[in-house]
Amino acid sequence: MPKNILSVENLNGGYEVFVGRRRVFVHAVDDVTFSLHNNEVLGVAGESGCGKSTLAKMIYGAIIPPLLVKGGSISITTKGGEVLNINKLSIDEVRRKIWWIEISYIPQNSMNVLNPLKRIKDQFIDVFRYHGIKMDKTETVEHLRDTLTTLGLPPEVINAYPHQLSGGMRQRVVIALSLVFNPRIILADEPTTAVDVVTQRTILSLLKEWRENNKSSLVLISHDMSVHAYMDDRIAIMYAGNVVELGSSLDIFKEPLHPYTRALIESLIRKGDKSIRKGLAGQPPDLINPPPGCRFHPRCPYVMNICRSEEPVTTFLDNDRYVRCWLYTSSR
Ligand code: SF4
């Protein structure tokens, strides 16, 4: 059995916001359960607005209003073997015990998070200081050079300002910053959407290699199924806040079960196939008032009566594969 380093159980949450003068709740993550194994890539796939980034923020412990966790748990086994319930920690505890050291987060459009007024070297040194890590300056610079070189960057980058680097280089610098303390878990939220296809493949390959060498686990969030096909060991498919299917990458691409997963895979462009790809009609639902029953039912070609009124139960095919759809439930 693979060892789990992170467990998410029945997680519920979202954003409390005002629409006009009315306080409403956006149900961005609904009853999500999965585990992250040691030394694996777990992809989280789905269209924009299906809750992927919110789930990443919750796992990272960045649970700051208007983001709220309403139920469930997120627990991590730390490098020292301590089990911490992330959603029960204060934000100060999360900063001290989790961020960068246990879990690093590469946010969307992360190349823009660099301070334009500071050299790359000084931005790294700030991170070391923030965590109270005492290394002498020469040692720090050596460590930084090594990390940057691992990500295919020339060592001179250390003295550059962000505007002197291309978008792809800035993206790699941010990834290097996230890896500098050798975290056990890397959360990468659309890490390559802002770069061209060639740079995307280079960055993904470097991230893959670094993760394998350092035996970390990667949670890779992307709407792009071709990225998942290249990177993932397992995939969780999210729709409207629910994980609707989870399984090994091989199984999911070979035999997708949930109608939404099938639609995502059918929309992939395949080498040599010139047929017009079928897109999925309609839009993900409004998460303030999600549809009753199965949240996918207004778009599902297999919809049945029960789907319109009752939430599907999760059917486990084995320990590591489940689907949430009435088509696979014998008791319907
Ligand atoms: Fe479609 Fe029903 Fe399955 Fe939902 S539960 S995906 S509507 S068949």
Side-chain angles (χ1 to χ4, degrees):
M1 279 284 282
K3 197 173 148 206
N4 294 335
I5 53 172
L6 182 97
S7 295
V8 175
E9 282 180 30
N10 307 112
L11 188 65
N12 275 291
Y15 302 92
E16 197 164 62
V17 292
F18 281 92
V19 174
R21 299 173 77 178
R22 199 163 57 98
R23 193 198 296 263
V24 294
F25 193 73
V26 182
H27 302 266
V29 170
D30 180 67
D31 197 19
V32 166
T33 295
F34 67 89
S35 297
L36 177 67
H37 302 163
N38 195 22
N39 194 14
E40 74 160 347
V41 180
L42 174 68
V44 182
E47 294 158 290
S48 298
C50 68
K52 305 184 300 294
S53 297
T54 308
L55 177 63
K57 282 183 194 147
M58 288 177 174
I59 294 172
Y60 193 47
I63 306 164
I64 303 164
L67 177 60
L68 302 174
V69 168
K70 292 238 168 173
S73 65
I74 309 157
S75 55
I76 183 175
T77 308
T78 66
K79 288 174 184 168
E82 192 184 358
V83 177
L84 296 174
N85 193 334
I86 293 179
N87 54 313
K88 297 282 182 238
L89 299 177
S90 70
I91 199 73
D92 273 351
E93 287 173 309
V94 170
R95 273 199 192 105
R96 260 188 300 114
K97 297 183 175 180
I98 304 288
W99 289 358
W100 305 76
I101 292 157
E102 300 292 344
I103 308 181
S104 265
Y105 182 43
I106 305 169
Q108 278 190 47
N109 295 322
S110 54
M111 66 169 88
N112 300 322
V113 302
L114 295 169
N115 183 336
L117 304 175
K118 284 194 167 187
R119 291 182 194 276
I120 300 303
K121 174 172 66 186
D122 296 324
Q123 311 210 25
F124 275 85
I125 290 170
D126 285 351
V127 174
F128 276 69
R129 281 207 192 109
Y130 178 83
H131 284 277
I133 293 182
K134 292 186 178 63
M135 259 193 197
D136 73 41
K137 211 165 178 180
T138 325
E139 211 181 341
T140 310
V141 170
E142 270 318 300
H143 183 54
L144 301 188
R145 280 217 177 93
D146 285 352
T147 314
L148 291 169
T149 315
T150 314
L151 286 169
L153 289 163
E156 311 80 83
V157 160
I158 205 164
N159 290 315
Y161 286 95
H163 73 269
Q164 295 173 305
L165 305 175
S166 68
M169 288 170 108
R170 287 204 299 274
Q171 188 72 357
R172 276 187 260 180
V173 167
V174 175
I175 294 174
L177 263 169
S178 72
L179 305 180
V180 77
F181 296 133
N182 202 3
R184 291 192 91 196
I185 300 171
I186 306 150
L187 292 171
D189 190 356
E190 306 278 3
T192 53
T193 37
V195 294
D196 62 78
V197 179
V198 177
T199 311
Q200 179 186 82
R201 192 43 74 102
T202 310
I203 290 176
L204 290 174
S205 302
L206 290 165
L207 197 52
K208 196 173 188 172
E209 195 182 318
W210 186 92
R211 190 204 66 75
E212 282 164 6
N213 290 340
N214 291 278
K215 311 235 173 304
S216 295
S217 297
L218 172 65
V219 179
L220 179 62
I221 289 157
S222 177
H223 67 281
D224 185 340
M225 291 302 282
S226 65
V227 166
H228 291 297
Y230 176 61
M231 294 288 285
D232 299 354
D233 296 310
R234 293 188 304 144
I235 312 181
I237 308 288
M238 275 193 91
Y239 185 78
N242 298 134
V243 172
V244 294
E245 183 166 1
L246 186 142
S248 77
S249 184
L250 276 177
D251 287 344
I252 296 245
F253 278 97
K254 195 167 137 213
E255 194 190 356
L257 298 176
H258 196 281
Y260 182 60
T261 316
R262 282 187 222 156
L264 289 179
I265 291 175
E266 275 169 18
S267 67
L268 259 179
I269 296 165
R270 287 181 175 79
K271 208 171 166 184
D273 181 355
K274 295 201 172 69
S275 62
I276 296 169
R277 307 306 332 151
K278 280 186 257 165
L280 182 62
Q283 300 290 327
D286 168 11
L287 293 178
I288 296 174
N289 286 308
C294 171
R295 291 182 174 188
F296 187 58
H297 87 251
R299 301 172 81 187
C300 181
Y302 305 94
V303 61
M304 301 170 282
N305 280 339
I306 192 173
C307 309
R308 296 189 175 92
S309 56
E310 290 185 43
E311 278 187 34
V313 293
T314 302
T315 303
F316 284 85
L317 285 95
D318 60 44
N319 273 342
D320 242 0
R321 180 119 203 242
Y322 71 72
V323 59
R324 197 172 169 137
C325 168
W326 285 119
L327 289 173
Y328 303 93
T329 312
S330 51
S331 62
R332 70 176 190 271

